[in-house]
Amino acid sequence: IQGESYVDESMISGEPIPVEKTAEAEVVGGTVNGTGSLTFRATKVGGDTMLAQIIRMVEEAQGAKLPIQDLVNRITLWFVPAVMAIALATFLTWLLVGPAPALSFALVASVAVLIIACPCAMGLATPTSIMVGTGRAAELGVLFRQGDALQTLSGVQTVALDKTGTLTEGRPELTDFDHADVLRMVASVEVRSEHPIAAAIVRRAEQTGLSLADVETFDSITGYGVSAMIEGRKVLVGADRLMEKQGIDLGDTAAIAAQLGQAGKTPLYAAIDGQLAAIIAVSDPIKSTTAEAIAALHSLGLKVAMITGDNRATANAIAARLGVDTVIAEVLPEGKVDAVAQLKAQGGKVAFVGDGINDAPALAAADVGVAIGTGTDVAIEAADVVLMSGDLRGVVNALHISQRTMANIRQNLFWAFSYNALLIPVAAGVFY
């Protein structure tokens, strides 16, 4: 109801850049206020808060999951009664037509059927493969938290990915800035700011070995940018509206800013002594292994979707660059659950990959939830599979392991069943 500040809402939205808050704006309990002072009125408490609703959605999604019926149980459901019937038929047959003493011969033949058919191989087919498969998965940094996920993952047809922290690094980085001297001046200003974009600029200056200048005066203009005096020169850094407010001529830079926006980057401006000095582009960079991982998922015949709370233009730009098939943008936590349901309705099982608290409901609602191990504990608890690193290639490894393990289980069951099918007649005395 009073004050101005920037609030880190990444807990809810998953987006790293803080959101400007002024009077009458809605804030969420549990998010982090920046440097400004806010006076607010609580409108939702207890079970009505956003975090409580997210927890409730996770519980409901987990409760709605159906257990996967085990392959061995389906086979032995018919196999065991069939073997008992064959043993009984063998006993009765040899009791009636067998050589003397018929009772002894009938008993030996029927017991031989039961011994040959003892389903040890069938019983070992699944647990042996699971033990080896999950052990190999652990070596590759993939943890299966739910046993049935090993089976369900092999049948997935669509992999839905969260953007921030999953496809991207999860923190803003300076991407476009060519003027070293201007960068030194801008970083000298931004070192006084706690904004994540400011931190990205300072990091780049430190990486390039620039020595920062002393700041004579500093002023943070909420919602616009920052102003400072450095070495007797006035430096402005901020959005285009700051430049317009200060009467700085932006010239024909609108096209450049639009181009940066379409590339998924946030354009900022730097002016020195009343003259535009540089355009700065900051974005959350895509992880180096993301493109390779998505290409590998496509090679497995899977569709790839991106679900994000980011704006549509940025999401579409990133999707086009990575070859993502489907984009669902500008969604809140409950919207991610709806998005997963939408992908399910299009046919096939869906695996969702995410890392934040805001991803937890979608992780639980998907047929298989895959959490990035570098993400939040809530996301990990809601997931069926956890990737111990932030490398998206772990999803490909998990799929490979799941598919190969299930293929091995089917091979084991086939040979176990074939062995019984071939030798039960022999045990019953068909060659006698």
Side-chain angles (χ1 to χ4, degrees):
I1 58 176
Q2 185 179 342
E4 292 182 356
S5 185
Y6 281 88
V7 175
D8 180 356
E9 293 190 336
S10 58
M11 182 191 81
I12 299 298
S13 66
E15 305 306 324
I17 299 177
V19 180
E20 181 184 3
K21 298 293 182 180
T22 58
E24 302 304 321
E26 183 175 295
V27 292
V28 180
T31 55
V32 182
N33 180 30
T35 56
S37 175
L38 297 175
T39 303
F40 55 86
R41 179 176 59 251
T43 57
K44 295 180 180 179
V45 296
D48 295 328
T49 61
M50 178 71 79
L51 190 56
Q53 290 173 5
I54 290 175
I55 293 169
R56 190 158 54 246
M57 281 190 289
V58 172
E59 291 174 344
E60 289 173 356
Q62 288 178 329
K65 280 190 173 181
L66 300 177
I68 304 299
Q69 189 176 4
D70 190 79
L71 284 172
V72 176
N73 291 340
R74 289 204 294 268
I75 294 173
T76 54
L77 178 67
W78 299 98
F79 179 77
V80 173
V83 168
M84 297 295 288
I86 292 170
L88 180 60
T90 299
F91 177 78
L92 294 175
T93 299
W94 289 119
L95 185 62
L96 295 175
V97 301
L103 178 61
S104 297
F105 192 91
L107 282 172
V108 169
S110 59
V111 170
V113 169
L114 294 175
I115 291 172
I116 282 293
C118 180
C120 293
M122 289 187 181
L124 290 172
T126 300
T128 303
S129 295
I130 289 175
M131 181 178 67
V132 174
T134 53
R136 179 60 180 148
E139 291 177 5
L140 296 175
V142 178
L143 175 63
F144 287 90
R145 294 188 65 251
Q146 304 292 338
D148 57 6
L150 193 63
Q151 179 175 341
T152 308
L153 192 59
S154 66
V156 161
Q157 292 176 297
T158 301
V159 177
L161 306 166
D162 171 54
K163 182 182 78 69
T164 305
T166 303
L167 294 177
T168 66
E169 295 289 353
R171 67 174 187 170
E173 291 289 347
L174 185 64
T175 57
D176 298 82
F177 203 116
D178 297 327
H179 308 287
D181 187 55
V182 178
L183 175 59
R184 184 181 73 89
M185 300 286 281
V186 170
S188 299
V189 175
E190 296 291 12
V191 76
R192 295 288 189 95
S193 173
E194 294 183 1
H195 198 286
I197 289 180
I201 294 171
V202 174
R203 275 199 304 272
R204 172 60 68 85
E206 291 174 345
Q207 289 167 1
T208 53
L210 297 176
S211 57
L212 303 184
D214 293 330
V215 177
E216 297 166 16
T217 63
F218 177 85
D219 182 28
S220 177
I221 309 169
T222 304
Y224 290 87
V226 293
S227 171
M229 289 295 294
I230 298 177
E231 298 175 345
R233 307 176 74 182
K234 184 177 181 181
V235 180
L236 293 171
V237 185
D240 53 356
R241 56 183 176 271
L242 173 63
M243 302 298 142
E244 293 168 0
K245 183 178 180 180
Q246 297 292 327
I248 307 296
D249 182 16
L250 297 180
D252 57 355
T253 60
I256 299 174
Q259 185 178 0
L260 291 172
Q262 290 171 1
K265 301 174 182 179
T266 302
L268 298 173
Y269 299 84
I272 299 177
D273 290 334
Q275 298 293 321
L276 183 65
I279 297 180
I280 309 165
V282 179
S283 74
D284 189 4
I286 296 170
K287 292 178 180 177
S288 59
T289 56
T290 295
E292 179 186 344
I294 290 177
L297 291 173
H298 281 143
S299 69
L300 291 175
L302 301 172
K303 293 180 180 179
V304 179
M306 181 171 72
I307 302 174
T308 178
D310 208 344
N311 69 76
R312 192 169 302 279
T314 302
N316 286 335
I318 292 174
R321 194 185 316 167
L322 296 174
V324 173
D325 303 303
T326 305
V327 179
I328 305 175
E330 300 176 358
V331 293
L332 293 174
E334 59 270 23
K336 290 189 177 183
V337 174
D338 294 337
V340 168
Q342 178 183 329
L343 292 172
K344 282 185 179 181
Q346 294 174 5
K349 292 180 179 178
V350 176
F352 179 78
V353 186
D355 71 322
I357 289 178
N358 60 303
D359 296 324
L363 286 167
D367 293 294
V368 181
V370 182
I372 303 294
T374 52
T376 64
D377 291 342
V378 174
I380 292 172
E381 285 298 318
D384 306 299
V385 182
V386 178
L387 308 181
M388 302 311 292
S389 71
D391 192 338
L392 200 58
R393 288 176 298 185
V395 178
V396 181
N397 290 336
L399 284 160
H400 272 303
I401 290 166
S402 175
Q403 292 171 354
R404 294 293 294 274
T405 301
M406 291 310 301
N408 185 244
I409 289 173
R410 293 187 185 98
Q411 290 168 4
N412 291 350
L413 292 174
F414 170 79
W415 288 113
F417 188 78
S418 298
Y419 159 82
N420 283 288
L422 289 172
L423 293 187
I424 283 176
V426 177
V430 71
F431 293 133
Y432 180 77

